[in-house]
């Protein structure tokens, strides 16, 4: 039985947004045409499109990404996850590859992500994603979508997730406000809505903190109940 399918049915990289529940921007170290960046973080809950994937428990994440000046990139993101089997060593690893480029006032991002679960290959599945972003005054706005084609591990159904997100700096301060609204329908959810409203603070020296209010509509279990998620991250 695909436990992630059951979880998602009960259910937002706000996933940093966009894209996928795993990507967060790091401070990059440039070396010629290739940029390498990474990030580690601690969160009070792992919320993916509104649903807790750690059963309301703490989450620890690690990410590494490589980007070429042409716009092509690849990344690996990892986190603990609760698979409902009573084991504490469940690990999710998301492998991504794509292309992102600024085209005038618009940033385009397209790619694919393969969700994998250590020692639980029957839960693995892949998803395609794309987004366009632009600035409206000081506000950065992104429209995006993710599509998982029909495959065995998600019940031979497809799944579609669409979202709009925005980020607004608070003047010249280290504080910024952000929010996301998403809609999901298919293998993981039946016309589910989810949203995030929160704030981030740049502490400095690679450290940042955030506080988000997360909620869903049409969630089939308490895993989608409203909550506040706090985090501390270090980017390098």
């Amino acid at each position: 039985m695909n436990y992630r399918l059951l979880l998602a049915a009960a259910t937002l990289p706000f996933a940093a947004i966009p894209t996928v529940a795993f990507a967060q921007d790091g401070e990059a170290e440039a070396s010629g045409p290739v940029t390498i960046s990474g990030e580690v973080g601690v969160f009070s809950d792992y919320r993916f499109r509104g649903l807790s994937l750690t059963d309301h428990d703490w989450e620890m994440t690690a990410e590494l990404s490589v980007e070429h000046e042409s716009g092509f990139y690849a990344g690996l993101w990892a986190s603990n996850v609760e698979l409902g089997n009573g084991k504490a060593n469940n690990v999710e690893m998301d492998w991504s590859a794509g292309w992102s480029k600024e085209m005038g006032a618009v940033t385009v991002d397209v790619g694919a992500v393969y969700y994998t679960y250590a020692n639980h290959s029957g839960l693995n599945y892949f998803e395609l994603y794309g987004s366009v972003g632009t600035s409206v005054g000081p506000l950065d706005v992104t429209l995006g979508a993710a599509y998982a084609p029909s495959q065995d591990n998600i019940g031979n159904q497809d799944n579609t997730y669409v979202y709009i997100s925005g980020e607004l700096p608070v003047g010249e301060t280290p504080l910024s406000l952000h929010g996301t609204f998403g809609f999901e329908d298919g293998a993981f959810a039946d016309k589910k809505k989810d949203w995030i409203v929160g704030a981030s603070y740049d502490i400095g020296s690679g450290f940042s903190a955030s506080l988000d209010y997360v909620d869903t509509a049409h969630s089939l279990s308490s895993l989608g109940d409203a909550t506040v998620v706090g985090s501390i991250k270090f980017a390098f």
Side-chain angles (χ1 to χ4, degrees):
M1 177 178 293
N2 186 333
Y3 189 77
R4 184 184 178 100
L5 176 58
L6 295 179
L7 286 181
T11 204
L12 225 238
F14 191 45
I17 320 192
T19 130
V20 289
F22 60 88
Q24 304 284 339
D25 289 338
E27 293 183 355
E29 294 184 6
S31 177
V34 175
T35 299
I36 300 175
S37 61
E39 184 177 86
V40 293
V42 178
F43 298 74
S44 60
D45 194 355
Y46 175 9
R47 289 288 173 132
F48 181 69
R49 297 173 184 169
L51 179 68
S52 175
L53 297 186
T54 50
D55 195 17
H56 308 291
D57 207 348
W58 290 86
E59 176 196 21
M60 297 185 66
T61 68
E63 177 192 4
L64 183 66
S65 61
V66 179
E67 181 178 356
H68 189 265
E69 63 184 4
S70 64
F72 288 100
Y73 63 85
L76 171 62
W77 179 92
S79 170
N80 59 297
V81 64
E82 172 56 57
L83 299 178
N85 55 10
K87 297 181 180 180
N89 62 345
N90 295 313
V91 177
E92 174 184 342
M93 292 182 290
D94 301 344
W95 310 78
S96 64
W99 179 82
S100 180
K101 203 73 172 178
E102 291 185 8
M103 299 180 176
V106 175
T107 299
V108 177
D109 185 11
V110 293
V113 57
Y114 185 46
Y115 300 91
T116 65
Y117 301 87
N119 303 316
H120 298 279
S121 61
L123 304 178
N124 300 349
Y125 72 98
F126 74 94
E127 189 174 66
L128 308 174
Y129 61 84
S131 68
V132 292
T134 191
S135 296
V136 181
L139 176 66
D140 292 331
V141 181
T142 300
L143 296 172
Y147 176 72
S150 175
Q151 48 203 288
D152 290 344
N153 288 351
I154 60 173
N156 292 307
Q157 302 180 64
D158 63 358
N159 191 77
T160 301
Y161 182 74
V162 295
Y163 66 89
I164 181 171
S165 65
E167 183 172 11
L168 178 68
V170 180
E172 300 299 322
T173 72
L175 184 68
S176 62
L177 307 178
H178 55 250
T180 298
F181 178 82
F183 176 83
E184 187 170 27
D185 190 39
F188 296 148
D190 181 14
K191 296 179 173 60
K192 173 187 64 67
K193 304 176 183 69
D194 56 71
W195 53 93
I196 287 178
V197 178
S200 298
Y201 188 87
D202 185 355
I203 300 171
S205 300
F207 288 93
S208 63
S210 65
L211 194 65
D212 297 328
Y213 173 81
V214 186
D215 200 2
T216 66
H218 299 295
S219 178
L220 302 179
S221 83
S222 62
L223 296 176
D225 287 352
T227 191
V228 174
V229 177
S231 74
I232 297 179
K233 293 166 284 185
F234 173 68
F236 56 90

